[in-house]
Amino acid sequence: MMNWPTTFMEPESLRQRLAAMSILDVILCSEDWLRRYQYNPRWDEDAALASVRNGAGDEIYIVFTPEGVIVKGFDHESGMSPYAREDGEIWPGIYEQTPSSLLDRLNDEALGKEDVTFCLWRESGDQVWRCGEIDFKGLDDGSRFLLGMIYEAPQDYVDWAEDYYDMKLPVDIVAQVYKGEPVSEEMILALNPERDVRIVLKEIYEIGK
């Protein structure tokens, strides 16, 4: 068993949630390297890429493809990290059963395929998330911790963002973004009065909302 929650959200809900949090981070922060959430719907000609990075060396990459979705996570403090192993190898079982059509999507150098402590996937048409058969030896792969950063409720995002960005946020506006409503100038200014609305709208357009 992995450590990730068995109630992990459906692929399309996951994509929408990551896109929404990426939009919110664009509004709240002008420096993309400081943002936790990023979503690129045109990462490849037929694939979208989302990432979650906490700035402390922990990260998730999620690739959405016609073949399905693959999630690769890396908890740098996990005893299952290649850097915590004497042989420096990926923990046995993480990738061995992953469908090649999805695993090959991680070959992009920017995704750091070798930096991994957990991987899960959902093939197109499948009804459940899957992972490899792994002997954890009592160790934590970091999946519950990292996937827990993908907040399902607007209030959870607000609680995190208010602390991270040191600002107060209107939950109702965040909820509108979570619902996928078109982002207006008024919504942007309600969330962050100091942001350049034109720049924000251009970035949001590129995210594909």
Side-chain angles (χ1 to χ4, degrees):
M1 289 289 291
M2 292 182 71
N3 306 127
W4 52 278
T6 56
T7 56
F8 194 45
M9 65 186 76
E10 291 294 301
E12 181 56 22
S13 296
L14 177 64
R15 188 197 66 78
Q16 292 175 1
R17 187 66 67 248
L18 289 161
M21 290 190 294
S22 175
I23 287 171
L24 287 164
D25 269 17
V26 166
I27 296 171
L28 299 179
C29 182
S30 60
E31 302 291 338
D32 61 353
W33 65 276
L34 288 174
R35 299 169 189 161
R36 173 177 282 188
Y37 305 97
Q38 301 211 11
Y39 177 75
N40 181 356
R42 291 172 293 277
W43 173 67
D44 201 354
E45 60 182 19
D46 64 345
L49 174 69
S51 64
V52 183
R53 289 172 287 189
N54 67 359
D58 308 309
E59 61 188 22
I60 314 171
Y61 287 102
I62 306 102
V63 187
F64 298 87
T65 81
E67 299 82 30
V69 184
I70 184 167
V71 181
K72 182 207 69 111
F74 178 67
D75 177 354
H76 81 286
E77 292 187 349
S78 170
M80 295 173 62
S81 165
Y83 303 102
R85 292 167 52 84
E86 289 186 6
D87 60 8
E89 297 293 325
I90 294 171
W91 192 270
I94 290 181
Y95 285 148
E96 281 80 349
Q97 294 170 288
T98 310
S100 59
S101 60
L102 292 175
L103 186 59
D104 288 349
R105 298 286 185 162
L106 300 181
N107 289 333
D108 189 300
E109 185 177 347
L111 304 190
K113 184 179 182 180
E114 307 300 311
D115 293 343
V116 60
T117 56
F118 69 90
C119 176
L120 59 150
W121 63 87
R122 179 89 169 252
E123 290 187 274
S124 179
D126 206 345
Q127 300 302 308
V128 296
W129 289 95
R130 303 187 186 278
C131 64
E133 294 180 7
I134 300 171
D135 180 358
F136 290 91
K137 300 186 184 300
L139 298 175
D140 184 351
D141 64 4
S143 57
R144 184 173 294 275
F145 157 61
L146 284 168
L147 296 175
M149 295 182 190
I150 304 174
Y151 304 117
E152 293 194 50
Q155 184 62 60
D156 292 333
Y157 175 88
V158 169
D159 291 343
W160 165 77
E162 287 188 337
D163 179 66
Y164 184 78
Y165 292 119
D166 192 24
M167 61 175 68
K168 295 296 294 182
L169 297 175
V171 180
D172 58 329
I173 303 298
V174 172
Q176 288 179 262
V177 178
Y178 258 55
K179 291 176 183 177
E181 296 183 12
V183 177
S184 66
E185 177 177 349
E186 291 73 23
M187 290 167 65
I188 294 170
L189 294 176
L191 289 165
N192 186 359
E194 298 181 3
R195 282 292 268 138
D196 186 314
V197 172
R198 290 173 299 175
I199 292 175
V200 171
L201 290 175
K202 181 176 183 297
E203 284 201 58
I204 290 176
Y205 177 78
E206 292 172 353
I207 291 173
K209 296 298 287 185

